[in-house]
Amino acid sequence: MDNPEEDSLHLHQDEEIIEVIDLNDAEQTAEDLAEELEDVDFADAGNADDDGWETEDEMESEQDDSELTFSKHTGSVFCVSLDPVTNSLAVTGGEDDRAFVWSVTDGDVLFECTGHKDSVTCAAFSCDSKLVVSGDMSGLIKVWKVEKKEEIWSFEVGDLEWLEWHPCAPVLLAGTADGNVWMWKIPSGECKTFQGPNCQATSGKILPDGKRVIVGYEDGSLRLWDLKQGNAIYVIKGHDGHQGPLTSLAYNKDGTLVLTGSVDGQAKLINTSTGKVLCSFSSENSEAKDSMQEQDPNSVESVGFCNVLPLVAVAYLDGTLAIYDMNSQSLRHRCKHEVGIVHLQWEEASAVVSTCNLAGAVTLWDARSGIVMSEYRGHSAEILDFVLNREASVAVTAGGDHKAKVFCLQRPDRFNNGRLAWRVVVMATVMRNTSGSDVEAQLIYAITLPISCAIILINLLIILAITCSRQLHNSQNYFFLSLLVADLCTGVALPFIPWMGLNRPLSFSSCLLVHVFPNFLFLAFLFNLVLVHYERYRSIVSPLRRGQLWLHRRFALPLLAVWMLPLLFALLPAFGWNNKAIHDQNGCCPETNSTAHSNCVALTGERCCTYRSVFPNAFIYLEVYGLLAPAILSIAAMTCRVLWITREQLRDIQRLQCAVANKEYRRRMEMRYACCVAAVSLAFLACWVPYIVYTHVGMEFLLRRGGKSDRTGHIVLSCVGVGGIAVVPLLLGLANREYTDPVKKLFRKLRHRYVNTSVQMDCSLQFCHS
């Protein structure tokens, strides 16, 4: 090198020479490079230092805690959602312009949402899991019917920011880059637009009341929209609003509070009724400030409310998960991740919060102590979205490694073995989807069939005794015979009555039949029971004028009334007093939560048949408080009146026989009366109390409008309650010798005939043998 200045090397600041490489003046040829490569020992490359770089395959093979991997995507998976009814189906959308609906138990693809022309960034199931929406970045939105695996609606807007289903109706909302919020009724496509500021509508959430939506915008403002009126109830901006685009929104269980997060590093707690900002949470960690420049604030990536404690969680871009106490508005715990957090989600029934981060891990944190409960890895790239199932036992993740994974979340208080937990989850899902109705049917039939068979058999015997004995052919026994026939029909319908409170996939005509017919039989039985009690009450109160009572002189008229009036009332839903419009619209009552319909078999192609589809609330109130309650009270009042009259008659007899009757005789009479009162009381407790409790519980559930119900408890109460009052006529019949004596004579005749037949057969056999 001739020029010494050119040989000098200028180092800047703290740079230093690591290695000097001599370059030959002659340029290397391809043959020279090949000869050098032949001397390289590739076998030794695998023994390189462990601190070297790893490939994606090496990272994935190092640790994979997932139970299932979905690999149909060929690009990053941006979004994932679970169906809310069974939690057995997932929908994922990705960078490859594709969305898939697949099973989380085996990874089988149910169908693919085709036709998108850009990355699918939004995908979600409707509240009843019958519809699924997929939307891409260009603004093309498609809605698919899950049961038929076909597209039923599509629309194209501007650049799409978010999609949100209404919590209890087939209504879809979307936010776009131009600041507009769109609302459609699916599948009719009826549309309404909410004009926002001239900036992106970055996030939005429909509040639990289903009437309002909270929307955050790029300029840091927040608007609460009235979905029905189409106007903004209030706007939060300026000093009260954020100083940067909103990134996330969350509301508490009843929708009275909203928590917002923004790139300005602030999280604000807002009262949804007044629009007042209650407090602001920010990351005051000095480490975060030192590690990040002032012009790049610590952005809030996700927020959420705890359902069981007054806590909120805020996830920051620097990897900080902050747990704040709402009552004291103070920081409770600071949970540090190595990398940025993407999303957080609280468990519904505990103080455990789960997070996913850019390192491809899902972490479970105990918000009470601020410590890590468990961590799950398996992705070779960042996790971009994740969702927990209803029981928080399974997490489904969407990753930048083109994969979606299913993790079984092992917890010490839930399972001791992750594999066992996954098997239990799979079995529970299969039971819920395919054989849930079979389990319910087995429980119903196990309880009702023995009761039903006993009711039918004993009623047939007493009916046979009354019809075969001419001495029992009078108006009083005709009333009791009508009651026995109604009780016999109730015994036949008893296995079907508990199904009225459960949901089944039936057409509306079939739904009407399975609800109206058992209801008519039960009402006819109750009317007949009141008639029999009234006739006996009048006979006891006025024994000398028994034959002059209008009930006996025109007995055909009350018999016709106790059958026709229940029939007319029970047929009112068939005449139009029903909720057929709701049934045709979405297969369930909009007042109920979608989880209340989880016992409908998934993907059957039929509407969800529920008592709410047949009986409106007014009809149920009228039947319970206008028919059932008065009937039960009248029977109880007449029974008490008869016991009181019996008591007075007993005292009169004792006074008349006081001079001649001994104490032992009076004691026996008192004992007989006490036994009678005890028998009536026990019969009431055993037969009527379960039904009264069942009716009360049913009305409480109706008033709660969609609260969670215990289906097993409902089945047991309905079977025992209805079966109990169906036993009342049998007790009345078996306690009367007029009805039991003919039955005993019939059995004696049958036994005598059987014995004679056996003797004759023995004689014939002996004669043939001789």
Side-chain angles (χ1 to χ4, degrees):
M1 296 183 183
D2 299 334
N3 191 356
E5 295 181 0
E6 293 179 359
D7 295 338
S8 62
L9 181 63
H10 300 282
L11 301 179
H12 298 277
Q13 297 178 355
D14 58 349
E15 293 180 352
E16 60 180 0
I17 298 176
I18 298 176
E19 183 179 359
V20 178
I21 303 175
D22 293 331
L23 298 178
N24 296 327
D25 295 336
E27 184 178 356
Q28 283 186 313
T29 63
E31 289 78 4
D32 296 333
L33 291 174
E35 291 178 358
E36 291 181 3
L37 288 176
E38 288 180 357
D39 298 333
V40 178
D41 188 0
F42 288 97
D44 294 337
N47 299 326
D49 190 1
D50 293 337
D51 295 333
W53 294 100
E54 294 176 325
T55 64
E56 287 189 2
D57 293 337
E58 290 172 343
M59 292 174 63
E60 185 175 4
S61 61
E62 182 177 318
Q63 180 180 352
D64 189 356
D65 302 319
S66 65
E67 299 294 333
L68 184 146
T69 300
F70 182 77
S71 306
K72 297 295 183 181
H73 287 281
T74 57
S76 297
V77 187
F78 291 136
C79 56
V80 61
S81 176
L82 283 175
D83 79 286
V85 174
T86 65
N87 288 175
S88 62
L89 295 177
V91 58
T92 52
E95 188 183 13
D96 53 1
D97 308 346
R98 305 165 77 187
F100 294 95
V101 177
W102 49 280
S103 170
V104 299
T105 58
D106 52 20
D108 290 344
V109 176
L110 189 64
F111 64 92
E112 179 182 353
C113 304
T114 56
H116 286 285
K117 51 188 180 182
D118 206 338
S119 299
V120 178
T121 54
C122 302
F125 287 92
S126 61
C127 60
D128 56 4
S129 298
K130 295 183 178 180
L131 303 176
V132 65
V133 63
S134 56
D136 60 35
M137 293 181 65
S138 68
L140 180 60
I141 302 172
K142 292 176 175 287
V143 175
W144 309 77
K145 195 160 190 175
V146 176
E147 59 191 13
K148 295 184 178 179
K149 308 174 185 178
E150 64 180 12
E151 179 184 332
I152 62 170
W153 181 85
S154 65
F155 196 85
E156 192 164 2
V157 294
D159 293 343
L160 185 65
E161 296 293 328
W162 53 269
L163 282 173
E164 184 90 0
W165 280 104
H166 194 276
C168 56
V171 174
L172 182 66
L173 274 78
T176 57
D178 57 6
N180 292 332
V181 175
W182 299 73
M183 182 174 70
W184 302 276
K185 185 177 180 181
I186 308 299
S188 64
E190 299 177 33
C191 181
K192 184 182 289 186
T193 308
F194 306 93
Q195 299 287 339
N198 191 20
C199 61
Q200 293 180 5
T202 56
S203 55
K205 291 287 183 181
I206 304 175
L207 297 184
D209 59 12
K211 301 177 181 179
R212 299 170 297 167
V213 59
I214 190 85
V215 182
Y217 296 90
E218 187 182 23
D219 61 356
S221 64
L222 190 75
R223 283 168 170 79
L224 182 70
W225 294 93
D226 187 312
L227 294 179
K228 185 176 182 180
Q229 302 297 331
N231 62 306
I233 301 175
Y234 56 74
V235 180
I236 301 175
K237 61 181 181 180
H239 176 72
D240 292 333
H242 287 280
Q243 305 306 310
L246 271 80
T247 55
S248 57
L249 292 170
Y251 52 78
N252 64 344
K253 188 184 298 185
D254 55 6
T256 57
L257 299 174
V258 165
L259 187 63
T260 63
S262 170
V263 298
D264 62 1
Q266 298 284 327
K268 294 181 180 291
L269 187 65
I270 301 170
N271 187 310
T272 57
S273 300
T274 62
K276 181 180 179 181
V277 178
L278 303 179
C279 64
S280 296
F281 305 109
S282 62
S283 177
E284 299 294 341
N285 189 0
S286 60
E287 295 178 3
K289 290 183 178 181
D290 294 340
S291 61
M292 302 183 68
Q293 298 180 359
E294 294 182 0
Q295 64 267 24
D296 188 15
N298 191 14
S299 172
V300 175
E301 296 300 308
S302 186
V303 295
F305 284 90
C306 177
N307 291 332
V308 297
L309 293 174
L311 302 175
V312 295
V314 181
Y316 294 94
L317 183 62
D318 69 341
T320 301
L321 174 67
I323 308 296
Y324 295 99
D325 191 315
M326 286 195 297
N327 294 334
S328 61
Q329 300 178 6
S330 61
L331 179 66
R332 185 164 180 172
H333 298 292
R334 188 183 302 276
C335 311
K336 190 64 179 175
H337 297 69
E338 296 178 355
V339 293
I341 304 173
V342 177
H343 183 56
L344 70 82
Q345 183 175 345
W346 286 92
E347 293 188 3
E348 290 187 6
S350 70
V352 176
V353 59
S354 302
T355 61
C356 66
N357 56 48
L358 297 176
V362 176
T363 310
L364 274 63
W365 299 84
D366 188 340
R368 295 166 298 185
S369 61
I371 63 173
V372 177
M373 298 182 65
S374 52
E375 187 174 68
Y376 303 88
R377 295 182 178 272
H379 285 280
S380 57
E382 67 277 4
I383 297 178
L384 302 176
D385 193 14
F386 87 109
V387 63
L388 300 178
N389 69 340
R390 190 164 37 247
E391 295 80 14
S393 57
V394 172
V396 185
T397 58
D401 55 358
H402 311 174
K403 294 179 178 63
K405 288 180 175 290
V406 180
F407 293 90
C408 176
L409 303 184
Q410 177 184 353
R411 271 178 44 188
D413 58 343
R414 183 184 292 129
F415 292 107
N416 293 325
N417 184 280
R419 300 287 176 180
L420 175 61
W422 174 246
R423 287 196 291 269
V424 171
V425 170
V426 172
M427 290 176 62
T429 304
V430 173
M431 290 288 289
R432 184 163 53 239
N433 294 342
T434 60
S435 61
S437 59
D438 295 337
V439 175
E440 292 167 358
Q442 291 175 5
L443 178 61
I444 291 173
Y445 296 144
I447 299 175
T448 58
L449 283 182
I451 302 176
S452 180
C453 292
I455 292 172
I456 294 172
L457 179 60
I458 298 176
N459 274 294
L460 285 176
L461 292 176
I462 300 177
I463 290 172
L464 185 62
I466 294 176
T467 54
C468 294
S469 178
R470 293 185 179 182
Q471 297 178 352
L472 300 179
H473 290 185
N474 53 54
S475 57
Q476 179 185 9
N477 292 316
Y478 291 158
F479 294 148
F480 194 69
L481 184 64
S482 177
L483 173 61
L484 294 175
V485 172
D487 193 30
L488 177 66
C489 295
T490 303
V492 174
L494 181 59
F496 304 98
I497 291 178
W499 288 103
M500 296 173 63
L502 303 177
N503 306 321
R504 289 164 287 174
L506 297 174
S507 63
F508 188 71
S509 58
S510 301
C511 193
L512 270 178
L513 180 63
V514 299
H515 284 81
V516 169
F517 188 66
N519 193 39
F520 156 66
L521 293 179
F522 177 74
L523 289 177
F525 160 75
L526 194 63
F527 275 52
N528 275 278
L529 191 59
V530 173
L531 177 63
V532 168
H533 276 80
Y534 179 72
E535 187 277 331
R536 296 192 175 185
Y537 167 75
R538 293 297 302 171
S539 299
I540 293 173
V541 172
S542 305
L544 299 179
R545 295 190 303 169
R546 178 177 177 180
Q548 300 177 0
L549 294 176
W550 69 273
L551 287 175
H552 297 285
R553 288 186 286 108
R554 294 182 175 86
F555 65 87
L557 196 60
L559 285 177
L560 182 64
V562 295
W563 285 96
M564 292 304 299
L565 292 178
L567 179 62
L568 293 176
F569 183 82
L571 288 177
L572 287 178
F575 293 154
W577 195 10
N578 55 53
N579 289 327
K580 184 177 187 300
I582 294 175
H583 185 277
D584 292 340
Q585 178 180 356
N586 57 2
C588 65
C589 180
E591 295 174 352
T592 59
N593 190 286
S594 60
T595 59
H597 302 277
S598 60
N599 61 313
C600 279
V601 180
L603 314 178
T604 55
E606 296 288 346
R607 295 290 184 181
C608 186
C609 173
T610 170
Y611 75 97
R612 292 183 181 271
S613 303
V614 178
F615 304 128
N617 290 353
F619 181 91
I620 298 175
Y621 279 107
L622 180 60
E623 179 171 338
V624 172
Y625 296 115
L627 297 179
L628 301 183
I632 296 173
L633 290 176
S634 63
I635 292 174
M638 287 185 287
T639 303
C640 292
R641 178 59 178 164
V642 168
L643 291 175
W644 179 262
I645 293 173
T646 305
R647 179 64 179 172
E648 293 297 325
Q649 291 175 349
L650 177 62
R651 289 177 179 177
D652 293 340
I653 294 173
Q654 289 177 345
R655 281 195 298 267
L656 291 173
Q657 296 183 347
C658 183
V660 295
N662 56 25
K663 294 182 179 180
E664 182 64 23
Y665 179 74
R666 290 197 299 268
R667 190 185 65 82
R668 287 201 304 267
M669 293 186 65
E670 289 284 354
M671 183 60 66
R672 289 187 61 184
Y673 178 76
C675 291
C676 179
V677 173
V680 172
S681 302
L682 289 175
F684 179 80
L685 291 174
C687 299
W688 286 104
V689 171
Y691 179 74
I692 294 173
V693 172
Y694 163 64
T695 306
H696 177 73
V697 171
M699 293 307 296
E700 284 294 323
F701 175 72
L702 181 67
L703 291 173
R704 284 189 282 116
R705 296 182 182 274
K708 261 191 174 178
S709 62
D710 182 4
R711 287 183 288 169
T712 302
H714 163 82
I715 292 172
V716 173
L717 276 177
S718 59
C719 294
V720 175
V722 179
I725 60 174
V727 175
V728 173
L730 306 184
L731 298 178
L732 296 176
L734 295 176
N736 194 335
R737 289 185 178 180
E738 289 184 341
Y739 306 139
T740 57
D741 287 345
V743 176
K744 293 178 181 178
K745 291 180 181 179
L746 178 62
F747 274 106
R748 282 198 295 266
K749 288 181 180 180
L750 292 176
R751 182 175 177 277
H752 181 68
R753 183 172 298 179
Y754 173 75
V755 171
N756 290 340
T757 304
S758 300
V759 171
Q760 291 176 0
M761 185 176 295
D762 291 340
C763 293
S764 299
L765 291 174
Q766 291 177 4
F767 177 78
C768 292
H769 180 70
S770 61

